[in-house]
Amino acid sequence: QVQLVESGGGLVQPGGSLRLSCAASGLILSGYSVYWYRQIPGKQREVVATMTSTGTTIVEDSAKGRFTVPRDNAKNTIYLQMNSLKPEDTAVYYCSVIVLGRRYWGQGTQVTVSS
């Protein structure tokens, strides 16, 4: 049974940093591409960063230069390191993997960027 659990969200001031965690069970994360999505109420869920199964990081333009995707294989956990946060980064953040054609999601973690 694949399970993903996100944590690390919270309230942060503009310009601040947060590190989100995505801990996995039921699979070895390093063998899969892991996607970080976010969703603003009333809008579609959008991908912000991807760590591919080959170790390549892809960051969407909205987060380029500010977000990175570190990974701790020993903990079977992947992170979303978010720096220089902006109010428009406020959203619920999800990690996701696709296993045998099925997409799995974590429960999401709220990030609020506000002064």
Side-chain angles (χ1 to χ4, degrees), residues 24 28-30 71-79:
I28 305 298
L29 270 183
S30 60
R71 184 169 65 187
D72 187 334
N73 291 338
K75 295 182 178 180
N76 205 28
T77 297
I78 199 162
Y79 304 94

Side-chain angles (χ1 to χ4, degrees), residues 17-63:
S17 297
L18 277 177
R19 188 177 78 162
L20 308 183
S21 300
C22 174
S25 59
L27 83 165
I28 305 298
L29 270 183
S30 60
Y32 299 87
S33 295
V34 181
Y35 307 86
W36 280 103
Y37 281 79
R38 66 186 179 190
Q39 187 166 25
I40 300 167
K43 293 192 175 182
Q44 280 194 326
R45 203 169 287 191
E46 62 175 6
V47 64
V48 292
T50 303
M51 168 65 80
T52 71
S53 58
T54 58
T56 300
T57 302
I58 303 167
V59 180
E60 300 304 313
D61 287 345
S62 60

Side-chain angles (χ1 to χ4, degrees), residues 40-105:
I40 300 167
K43 293 192 175 182
Q44 280 194 326
R45 203 169 287 191
E46 62 175 6
V47 64
V48 292
T50 303
M51 168 65 80
T52 71
S53 58
T54 58
T56 300
T57 302
I58 303 167
V59 180
E60 300 304 313
D61 287 345
S62 60
K64 199 162 288 184
R66 301 186 298 123
F67 292 8
T68 59
V69 190
R71 184 169 65 187
D72 187 334
N73 291 338
K75 295 182 178 180
N76 205 28
T77 297
I78 199 162
Y79 304 94
L80 183 66
Q81 177 66 45
M82 305 186 294
N83 301 321
S84 302
L85 283 162
K86 305 175 182 179
E88 52 263 43
D89 295 318
T90 296
V92 179
Y93 284 73
Y94 301 87
C95 59
S96 177
V97 295
I98 299 173
V99 179
L100 297 177
R102 175 180 171 179
R103 184 177 286 278
Y104 293 85
W105 298 95

